[in-house]
Amino acid sequence: MRAMVCSRFGGVDDLTWTEVPDPRPGPGTVLVDVEAAGVNFADLLMLAGRYQVKPSAPFVPGFEVSGRVAAVGAGVEQVAVGEPVMGFVWEGGYAEKVVVPATAVFPRPVTFGAVEGAAFLAGYGTAGHALFDRGRLHAGDLVVVLGASGSVGSAAVQLGVVSGAEVVAVTGSDGGERLARRFGAAGVVRRDRVCDLAEAVFAVTGGRRADLVVDPVGGAVSRRILDVLSPGGRLLVVGFAAGDIPHLPFDLVQSREVELVGVYWGALADRFPASNRRLIAHLSTLAAEGSIRPAVTATFPLPRARDALEAVRRGDPAGRVVLTVG
Ligand SMILES: NC(=O)c1ccc[n+]([C@@H]2O[C@H](COP(=O)([O-])OP(=O)(O)OC[C@H]3O[C@@H](n4cnc5c(N)ncnc54)[C@H](OP(=O)(O)O)[C@@H]3O)[C@@H](O)[C@H]2O)c1
């Protein structure tokens, strides 16, 4: 088979379209013929050697795949050969075939094509774990979502809205604003047009404070957004797309009684596969009903993965970027 192979840690230029041996499924794993692979910000971190999981080079990047089951290893009963599935892997997704642990393979919702299936698990899994498991979301809560044009952010906007929350989306682009409104955000704050983020959020909410903030951005934005939380509110620490890990004031956490809550969906799948299976089943039901659907706004053939990664780095277009195979 062929795959995009990263020969050494550095950047996207070290990715090449290469013939590699076919992977073979072992016990408890599933061989997937890949039809599409999701492109994530975390792929850029992994290629740079800055992700928390660091494979040894050479390696094939890519966390999210969608395709058909080609073969199953011993002990696998939940999916059958030929079935359309979605899968999550720590590496190997940018390839024509990949072996996925059976615990991380899920039937593809009937409403999804291959590209939507490749843009679902990481964004919606993370947003769902953040809002439901870690954030204890209730209908009627006010939820502020940072990075609303991105994978996690756009999923958090849509999931928050369908769960009955009032969602205010923070974004830095026209495309992000259009997407957030299409997904039902009650308000949008343009971070590229305001002097003070907290004041801009209050202008949209009429002074109401947030029960939850979903934060995949980090940096200076995280410090300022703490000020919009209500007492007992939760800042859901998802990631650091802005590049800087924020240093937050513990005195404010104490005096305002707000909570800093870590979110790590990939670890949920490894540590508590049954909890993750319940979460993905719930999300898949919402998808099958037509209530949620990822916004795939750009596709590239797999050999053009470098262009796809640059699009994700630029955040242009808003929404998800997916690689197609074959
Ligand atoms: N904890 C977990 O389980 C988990 C899972 C998945 C991802 N992550 C992490 O979460 C982060 C986001 O991932 P993603 O896949 O959603 O990335 P993404 O699709 O690239 O979205 C990130 C968004 O952040 C906003 N942004 C980027 N730079 C910014 C800046 N300097 N200031 C303010 N906003 C900025 C942009 O949205 P706007 O223009 O709309 O503001 C951008 O689209 C990454 O660090 C990733 O590693 C964590």
Side-chain angles (χ1 to χ4, degrees):
M1 71 161 188
R2 286 162 303 172
M4 290 303 290
V5 176
C6 174
S7 48
R8 60 187 173 135
F9 292 105
V12 300
D13 291 342
D14 293 310
L15 269 181
T16 45
W17 184 231
T18 309
E19 189 72 36
V20 294
D22 278 17
R24 294 155 71 107
T29 67
V30 176
L31 178 67
V32 176
D33 277 334
V34 179
E35 295 172 320
V39 183
N40 283 278
F41 182 87
D43 298 337
L44 291 163
L45 297 177
M46 189 174 262
L47 290 169
R50 292 176 44 224
Y51 192 65
Q52 53 257 56
V53 176
K54 194 169 178 182
S56 44
F59 70 98
V60 175
F63 296 101
E64 285 179 294
V65 294
S66 165
R68 302 247 166 204
V69 174
V72 296
V76 176
E77 288 172 358
Q78 71 265 45
V79 289
V81 171
E83 191 175 338
V85 291
M86 313 176 287
F88 180 83
V89 284
W90 287 111
E91 59 179 288
Y94 287 16
E96 290 175 327
K97 296 174 190 290
V98 65
V99 169
V100 186
T103 50
V105 176
F106 305 92
R108 198 160 75 203
V110 289
T111 46
F112 284 5
V115 292
E116 286 83 13
F120 190 60
L121 291 177
Y124 284 78
T126 302
H129 182 47
L131 292 171
F132 307 141
D133 302 333
R134 305 293 290 145
R136 313 186 300 277
L137 177 74
H138 289 103
D141 281 354
L142 177 63
V143 179
V144 174
V145 177
L146 305 178
S149 70
S151 167
V152 176
S154 59
V157 170
Q158 199 175 39
L159 274 180
V161 169
V162 301
S163 305
E166 184 176 330
V167 175
V168 173
V170 178
T171 182
S173 68
D174 291 345
E177 179 170 357
R178 277 195 296 275
L179 182 58
R181 293 200 190 281
R182 175 154 78 81
F183 277 0
V188 175
V189 170
R190 287 293 296 263
R191 64 176 167 86
D192 54 330
R193 293 184 184 160
V194 301
C195 298
D196 185 281
L197 188 58
E199 281 174 18
V201 170
F202 286 137
V204 167
T205 66
R208 183 178 168 195
R209 291 183 175 276
D211 302 287
L212 290 174
V213 172
V214 179
D215 183 5
V217 170
V221 171
S222 303
R223 163 65 192 86
R224 193 66 194 105
I225 208 72
L226 259 189
D227 289 337
V228 311
L229 278 175
S230 63
R234 279 86 70 204
L235 177 70
L236 301 170
V237 181
V238 175
F240 313 102
D244 296 327
I245 299 191
H247 296 276
L248 297 174
F250 272 36
D251 55 338
L252 205 73
V253 173
Q254 179 264 327
S255 61
R256 297 267 295 282
E257 291 199 323
V258 296
E259 298 176 32
L260 299 182
V261 181
V263 177
Y264 190 9
W265 172 74
L268 176 77
D270 286 348
R271 292 176 191 152
F272 303 109
S275 302
N276 188 49
R277 197 155 277 284
R278 274 195 300 278
L279 172 67
I280 301 301
H282 174 59
L283 298 173
S284 296
T285 301
L286 291 174
E289 290 168 1
S291 301
I292 59 173
R293 184 181 185 83
V296 178
T297 43
T299 59
F300 293 81
L302 179 56
R304 286 188 57 208
R306 288 187 290 192
D307 295 332
L309 284 157
E310 290 300 349
V312 168
R313 194 198 302 281
R314 289 192 307 273
D316 179 24
R320 292 301 312 272
V321 175
V322 169
L323 298 167
T324 54
V325 182

